[in-house]
Amino acid sequence: MLKITNVTKKFGELTAVNNLSFEVAKGQVFGIAGPNGAGKSTLYNMISGLYSFEGSITFNNQSLGGLPPHKIAKLGISRTFQIPQTFPSLNVEKSIGVGNHFGSKDGFEQKYVDKILEFTNLADKRKAMAGQLNLLDKKMLMIGAALATKPEILMLDEPMAGSNATEIIKLMDLIQHINQDLKVTIIIIEHFMKVLTQLTQELLIIETGTKICCGDPVTTTNDPRVIKCYLGDSRD
Amino acid sequence: MFIEIIDVIISGLINGSVYALMAVGLTLIYGVSKAFNFAYGSLYSLGGYIAFLLFSLAWINNYLLVFCLAAPILLVIGFFLEKLLVAPLRKRDDWEIKVMMITLGLALFLDNSFQVVFGARMKSLPTMLEGSFELGEFILSYQDVAIFIFSIGGILLFRWFLNNTRTGMSVRAVAQNPEGAQIVGIPKEFVFAATFAISTVMVGMGGILLAQKYFITPTGGWDILVKAWVITAFGGMGSIKGSLYAAFIVGMLEAFVGWHFGMTWTLIALFAVLLTTLAVRPQGLMGKWG
C-alpha cells in the first residue's frame, strides 16, 4: 500500500537518503533499523510531507510528492516523533480530540475519542494536562493523537527510546493491539533488535541512506552485511 | 483630589481595555507564527480610515453598523496581506527577519498611501454615545463606557473563538506545536493567515474605538505599535494572559504618570518600566522561555 521508489534526499552536499526503494504491504508491521544518522527519521519526514524529495512515494497508488503534511494526514498516514510531541496546555482528552477533529475523515466523534483513551490506558487521566504527563503517558498520548486521525498507516519513530523493560512490554503490547484490533498497518523505527524481531514481519536495514537488506527479521538480523554495519568488519 | 484619582483610574481602565484588545492580537501573531508584525500600527490607522469612509456613506449612521461592516473588510485584508506578503517568505531561511522587513515596508507603504488618499490633516469620527453620567463633581462620559464595553466584548469574543471553534482550536494547536499540528491534519498555512487576519480585525477595531477620542492621522499608528510592542514584551511575548495584565498595567501607569507629571512623560515611564522588568525577568511577566 505504501511504495517508495528510488527516493533520494540531499541536504546540500550530504546525501541523507540514497536511491532507496521498498514497499509496505497492508496489515504488516514493517520494521526499519540502522545506525544513527542512517536516514530513518528523514525517511519519515519525507513520507509525512515535512521534507521534499526526489523519486516517488505512492500511497494506495496516489503520489505523495508535493502534498502538504495535513493533506497526507487526511489520506491516512499518521506518525509519532522520537521526542514526544504534545500540546502542553491541552488536556489529554482534548489533545486526542484535536487529532480526531482535523485528521479524521469522519470528523469529531466522542465515542471514538473514548475508545482511543481506553486503548492507550489514558481514560482515567483524561483531564490531566499533556505537559504534566510522565514519559510513558506522553508517548501513549502521542500515539493516541495519531490514532485519532483514523490512519491506515501509523509510523512510529523509536517508540521505545528512554523506556525501561516494563514500559517496553506495555508499548509492544499496545503496538500489537493497534495492528491487530484496529487493523492499522505499522511502520516502526527502532534500535532494540529484540523488539523488531518480535513485532515485525518484514525488516529493512539502512546505513547512510542506502538499503543494506530487507526481508523477514530473523534472516535479516543474521545477514553478515547487517552484522558488519552494526559491529564493523573484523578485517578493518 | 479624590475625584481626580477616580478619574485617572477610569481613564487608565478605558485605555487599558483598548490596549488589551490590540496587544492580544499582536501577541497572537507572535505566539502562533513567531513573527513580529511591524505594520500593526498602520493597520490600526487603517481601521480608523475604513470607519471614516463608512461614516461618509449616507446610510451609515451608527457604530454597530460600522463594526459589522469593518470587521469582515479588515478580516479579508489581513488574510490576503498574509497570503501575498508573509506566506511566500516563510519557505526561505531566516524568514523571521524577512517578515519584519516586509511588514516594516508595508507600514511605510500604508502610511504614505493614507497621506496621499486622505491628506495629512486629522480626521475625526463621530462620538459613539453623547452625554455623560454626573454625580457631583464626578463625570463619566457614556462614550468612555461604550469604548470599555466594546473592547472587553471584543476580547471575550476572541476568547470564545479560541476555545469553541474549529479554527480557534487549530490556532491553539499550531501555537503549541506546529509540526504536531500538521501531523494530525491541521492546515498550518491557513492557520497562519487566519491568525494574521484576526489580529488585523482586533487592531483595526482598536483604531475605530480610539479614533473618536484621539483622531486619525496617517502616522498615528506608530505610537500604537510602540505601545502594543511594550505591552507584549512586558507581558511576555506570545502569552495572551500576560498581554492582558500588561495592557491594564500600562493603561494605569500612563494615566497616573500623565496626570502627575504630564503626558510627555508617559512613554519615558513606559520604557523605564519595560527595561526594568526585562532586566529582572527577560521573558516578561508571563512569558515562557524556549
Side-chain angles (χ1 to χ4, degrees):
Chain A
M1 80 195 303
L2 184 73
K3 201 170 172 184
I4 280 87
T5 321
N6 303 329
V7 163
T8 298
K9 175 73 194 177
K10 288 183 182 142
F11 296 103
E13 290 297 301
L14 177 88
T15 306
V17 172
N18 189 5
N19 204 23
L20 192 68
S21 302
F22 63 92
E23 198 176 340
V24 180
K26 195 174 169 67
Q28 255 186 340
V29 178
F30 186 96
I32 301 176
N36 284 327
K40 304 179 299 284
S41 295
T42 306
L43 190 62
Y44 273 15
N45 285 338
M46 292 189 291
I47 299 173
S48 55
L50 294 172
Y51 288 168
S52 60
F53 55 86
E54 298 164 41
S56 120
I57 300 178
T58 62
F59 173 64
N60 292 335
N61 296 322
Q62 181 179 357
S63 170
L64 300 185
L67 287 183
H70 68 271
K71 292 238 166 88
I72 291 176
K74 279 245 163 70
L75 285 178
I77 301 181
S78 193
R79 70 170 287 183
T80 64
F81 293 86
Q82 265 177 51
I83 301 160
Q85 303 280 327
T86 55
F87 301 119
S89 81
L90 296 185
N91 68 30
V92 167
E93 188 175 0
K94 285 222 167 101
S95 300
I96 290 176
V98 168
N100 196 228
H101 243 288
F102 293 96
S104 161
K105 290 180 278 272
D106 310 327
F108 180 76
E109 298 157 288
Q110 185 61 42
K111 251 189 175 164
Y112 191 75
V113 171
D114 289 340
K115 182 175 165 186
I116 299 292
L117 283 169
E118 291 292 336
F119 217 84
T120 48
N121 265 327
L122 291 169
D124 48 344
K125 293 177 186 138
R126 60 169 75 214
K127 295 291 172 215
M129 285 297 165
Q132 263 126 42
L133 296 176
N134 65 31
L135 182 67
L136 179 69
D137 284 341
K138 266 190 191 153
K139 285 181 173 181
M140 290 287 196
L141 176 60
M142 180 169 59
I143 294 174
L147 285 177
T149 67
K150 294 199 177 168
E152 286 182 53
I153 294 187
L154 175 64
M155 305 195 291
L156 301 164
D157 196 351
E158 292 192 30
M160 310 301 170
S163 302
N164 64 35
T166 348
E167 290 168 350
I168 289 179
I169 291 170
K170 277 187 191 163
L171 284 164
M172 279 176 68
D173 199 46
L174 175 71
I175 294 167
Q176 247 156 0
H177 270 299
I178 294 170
N179 181 241
Q180 280 153 21
D181 301 345
L182 297 179
K183 308 278 179 244
V184 175
T185 307
I186 291 191
I187 308 178
I188 173 170
I189 292 177
E190 197 39 77
H191 279 301
F192 291 101
M193 279 300 170
K194 242 190 178 158
V195 170
L196 288 173
T197 46
Q198 279 187 37
L199 276 179
T200 66
Q201 285 98 51
E202 199 170 351
L203 183 58
L204 168 77
I205 310 283
I206 53 178
E207 190 194 12
T208 57
T210 318
K211 177 150 95 176
I212 302 289
C213 67
C214 185
D216 84 275
V218 180
T219 331
T220 310
T221 42
N222 289 319
D223 190 299
R225 289 169 299 175
V226 174
I227 296 169
K228 185 185 153 201
C229 93
Y230 269 94
L231 300 175
D233 195 329
S234 54
R235 282 163 297 175
D236 278 352
Chain B
M1 177 75 181
F2 177 70
I3 297 282
E4 263 181 67
I5 290 180
I6 299 275
D7 276 346
V8 171
I9 290 175
I10 286 174
S11 121
L13 272 179
I14 287 158
N15 280 348
S17 67
V18 189
Y19 293 165
L21 179 69
M22 296 190 288
V24 164
L26 188 63
T27 209
L28 175 75
I29 308 184
Y30 182 81
V32 172
S33 68
K34 301 290 174 285
F36 190 83
N37 179 9
F38 263 99
Y40 206 61
S42 304
L43 296 171
Y44 163 89
S45 310
L46 180 69
Y49 281 117
I50 287 176
F52 175 77
L53 279 181
L54 288 172
F55 271 117
S56 67
L57 298 172
W59 52 279
I60 289 178
N61 51 12
N62 71 72
Y63 268 93
L64 224 49
L65 202 56
V66 167
F67 285 136
C68 292
L69 291 170
I73 296 174
L74 288 163
L75 195 74
V76 170
I77 291 176
F79 191 86
F80 284 102
L81 281 179
E82 205 280 346
K83 278 284 177 214
L84 291 174
L85 295 178
V86 183
L89 296 179
R90 209 174 277 116
K91 297 186 179 73
R92 299 163 188 261
D93 299 332
D94 284 338
W95 60 271
E96 289 96 337
I97 303 288
K98 294 190 175 99
V99 168
M100 284 191 200
M101 299 308 255
I102 203 155
T103 52
L104 188 58
L106 174 65
L108 296 172
F109 171 80
L110 284 175
D111 289 357
N112 283 291
S113 307
F114 296 149
Q115 184 138 2
V116 171
V117 177
F118 298 97
R121 284 176 61 184
M122 288 185 198
K123 296 278 179 283
S124 62
L125 294 184
T127 316
M128 200 184 267
L129 277 175
E130 297 288 349
S132 54
F133 171 80
E134 285 173 45
L135 190 80
E137 275 179 71
F138 175 72
I139 298 170
L140 179 61
S141 75
Y142 291 139
Q143 179 190 28
D144 281 349
V145 177
I147 291 176
F148 184 78
I149 289 173
F150 274 102
S151 302
I152 300 296
I155 294 167
L156 290 176
L157 194 67
F158 171 70
R159 202 186 116 105
W160 175 86
F161 159 81
L162 273 189
N163 289 326
N164 296 292
T165 66
R166 209 177 139 85
T167 312
M169 200 175 187
S170 56
V171 166
R172 283 193 299 156
V174 171
Q176 293 186 24
N177 189 337
E179 277 196 340
Q182 279 181 294
I183 294 303
V184 296
I186 294 173
K188 190 170 83 173
E189 296 296 321
F190 170 77
V191 169
F192 283 156
T195 311
F196 202 95
I198 292 159
S199 75
T200 304
V201 175
M202 293 173 95
V203 74
M205 288 296 157
I208 299 174
L209 288 171
L210 287 188
Q212 40 182 325
K213 283 179 85 175
Y214 303 110
F215 305 106
I216 318 160
T217 58
T219 53
W222 290 100
D223 250 15
I224 293 297
L225 175 70
V226 168
K227 276 179 199 162
W229 174 74
V230 167
I231 291 167
T232 46
F234 179 39
M237 296 294 275
S239 161
I240 287 177
K241 219 185 255 174
S243 289
L244 282 178
Y245 290 132
F248 283 101
I249 294 173
V250 163
M252 284 294 172
L253 186 77
E254 225 181 42
F256 273 97
V257 171
W259 168 61
H260 203 264
F261 300 97
M263 285 314 275
T264 43
W265 290 94
T266 53
L267 269 184
I268 297 169
L270 283 190
F271 280 114
V273 169
L274 175 69
L275 291 177
T276 320
T277 312
L278 294 188
V280 183
R281 210 179 140 73
Q283 69 271 44
L285 288 180
M286 308 196 76
K288 291 189 192 100
W289 215 238

